[in-house]
Amino acid sequence: MPSIRRPALAAAALTAALALTATACGPTDDTAAGSDKPSTTASQKDDQGLELPKNLPSSLKDLDKWKNGAWKNWDKEQWLREARDFINPIIKDHWKPGTMKDARPGDKTLATQGAPGTAPGASGDQGVTDPEPQPVQAKAVGLPYHNNAAPVGKVFFDSPEGHMVCSATVVKDPAHPGKSNMVWTAGHCVHAGKKGGWYRNIAFVPSYNDKGLPGAQVNSAPVQDVAPYGVWWADWAQTSSQWITQGAETGGAGAPYDFSVLHVKPEAGSGKSLEETVGNALTVDFSAPQVKSIPSMGAWGYPAAAPFDGQKMYDCVDRPSRLTIEPAQPTMYRIGCTMTGGSSGGGWFAKGPDGKVVLVSNTSIGPANSTWLAGPRLGPEAKGVYDAISRKFANR
């Protein structure tokens, strides 16, 4: 049995930072200049202001067909894949407790336990791969989740393989202090990468299965127990251009750029933002700190592949090490962790220089035997994705 190591980053301190806090709900608003322009062909809008890309769907009539099942057509010639072509209209009651429970993980795994890279010893992190970390047993997060990790939840989406699931985190929006509708997850949770396009019916459920009910009880549980803060649909998603052009379902291709930001709106509107509804949101650190400056780092998520069932939230805390997939691309963070498929996209947290907990990465890849996880460093490319979405909705 591998030892459980939880150094430096006290679990209690991190839990406090993730918990429901009234002070996180600031009343002020701000704006940012600029916008992320949609396709010039996307000129039609529905009554919700939804941009309609060329081809599919291309009219309000087609939009109705889409909601009534046309979204199930995964013809590659019709599969929207460009950054400007994201479309995700709300389909009311599409994500019910039973559907959520049965969603399968769609995670990336390396074909082997190891990965190419140089031997450790360099003063910096770039191009370095450290020895594999010892497994850290995933630890169940305390119940109810809304008191211990309110910003953490699940992302549900449809792919050609069926209903799928990842993990995600509510993050702050500089254009709307205290009123963010932004969610951080992995690129492969929203887009298939090099050989595919945008996934469909993407929705976020914070504090999923708040009371930690067994899977057998989720189907019949009240919706408020499964989705205590409601279902939030992505009205825009953005990932890195590197993930779109390089990303693959297996192996490490695109993993150093495997991140995504969603902007969401509630299926049943209350007038409040996601951050106000949940009570907290995480600041994102784009400084990509070197591993020697991080005593410990924690990953949160909902592992769904055996021996887990995706119905409960877990975390792993470990001292980070380095993993290089391609020498010319950014070196990734790696920690020991036994979380399995379904935890992808879940936030990685660490204490910043001021002692406050910040989001520094997200789960991207791991080996088939589930002994460690790796996540991208969040540098200029990640900040560009984040800033673009913030600007796009700055005046809304």
Side-chain angles (χ1 to χ4, degrees):
M1 176 70 68
S3 62
I4 300 176
R5 297 173 292 143
R6 299 176 64 81
L9 177 59
L14 186 50
T15 297
L18 292 175
L20 182 68
T21 57
T23 57
C25 304
T28 60
D29 191 15
D30 198 2
T31 58
S35 64
D36 184 41
K37 300 293 185 182
S39 167
T40 56
T41 61
S43 58
Q44 289 183 282
K45 296 182 180 181
D46 73 352
D47 57 3
Q48 296 175 320
L50 180 68
E51 300 287 356
L52 301 178
K54 187 178 179 181
N55 294 327
L56 182 65
S58 60
S59 68
L60 296 179
K61 182 177 180 181
D62 283 349
L63 185 58
D64 287 337
K65 291 180 180 178
W66 178 277
K67 291 182 176 181
N68 290 328
W71 65 265
K72 298 176 183 178
N73 178 9
W74 293 98
D75 182 347
K76 288 192 175 182
E77 294 300 318
Q78 299 286 340
W79 195 356
L80 300 173
R81 62 168 278 104
E82 300 302 326
R84 65 180 181 269
D85 289 340
F86 179 79
I87 185 169
N88 195 57
I90 291 175
I91 302 177
K92 188 173 175 59
D93 295 328
H94 179 78
W95 294 111
K96 299 178 180 179
T99 313
M100 295 184 204
K101 181 183 76 70
D102 294 336
R104 299 184 293 112
D107 293 295
K108 283 168 57 65
T109 58
L110 290 177
T112 60
Q113 294 183 39
T118 61
S123 57
D125 290 351
Q126 182 57 35
V128 176
T129 291
D130 293 315
E132 287 189 18
Q134 291 296 308
V136 173
Q137 291 293 322
K139 179 178 178 290
V141 174
L143 300 170
Y145 298 141
H146 77 264
N147 282 342
N148 294 290
V152 180
K154 279 191 168 191
V155 167
F156 296 93
F157 59 97
D158 283 311
S159 80
E161 286 74 42
H163 300 316
M164 311 298 283
V165 67
C166 279
S167 300
T169 308
V170 184
V171 294
K172 292 186 179 298
D173 179 358
H176 296 287
K179 298 181 179 181
S180 174
N181 285 307
M182 292 170 61
V183 175
W184 195 280
T185 189
H188 75 260
C189 298
V190 300
H191 194 287
K194 184 177 181 179
K195 294 185 178 180
W198 293 105
Y199 293 129
R200 298 168 184 170
N201 304 324
I202 300 171
F204 174 63
V205 177
S207 295
Y208 170 81
N209 192 17
D210 190 43
K211 298 178 180 178
L213 298 175
Q217 297 180 24
V218 170
N219 281 351
S220 58
V223 173
Q224 60 267 29
D225 287 348
V226 180
Y229 297 118
V231 178
W232 296 73
W233 285 69
D235 54 1
W236 196 255
Q238 199 150 334
T239 186
S240 67
S241 59
Q242 292 92 340
W243 174 256
I244 290 176
T245 58
Q246 302 172 19
E249 292 182 2
T250 58
Y257 302 98
D258 185 14
F259 43 77
S260 176
V261 181
L262 309 177
H263 187 276
V264 299
K265 60 183 178 182
E267 179 172 311
S270 66
K272 289 186 176 182
S273 68
L274 175 61
E275 183 176 358
E276 290 173 299
T277 301
V278 170
N280 202 355
L282 273 291
T283 297
V284 184
D285 183 357
F286 295 105
S287 67
Q290 294 193 10
V291 294
K292 65 181 180 182
S293 68
I294 309 175
S296 58
M297 188 179 287
W300 262 244
Y302 285 83
F308 306 97
D309 66 358
Q311 303 311 305
K312 296 183 180 180
M313 190 191 304
Y314 289 80
D315 71 76
C316 293
V317 178
D318 193 15
R319 180 179 293 276
S321 60
R322 299 163 290 189
L323 173 67
T324 297
I325 301 295
E326 293 287 345
Q329 294 187 348
T331 295
M332 302 178 73
Y333 296 122
R334 178 162 63 169
I335 61 172
C337 186
T338 60
M339 284 199 288
T340 60
S343 62
S344 264
W348 290 29
F349 312 119
K351 283 186 178 180
D354 60 358
K356 295 182 179 179
V357 173
V358 292
L359 186 145
V360 294
S361 186
N362 58 262
T363 297
S364 173
I365 56 173
N369 62 350
S370 303
T371 56
W372 53 260
L373 297 173
R377 291 171 188 249
L378 305 182
E381 297 85 2
K383 190 175 188 303
V385 169
Y386 174 84
D387 287 346
I389 285 202
S390 180
R391 288 195 304 267
K392 184 178 181 69
F393 291 89
N395 296 318
R396 304 189 194 182

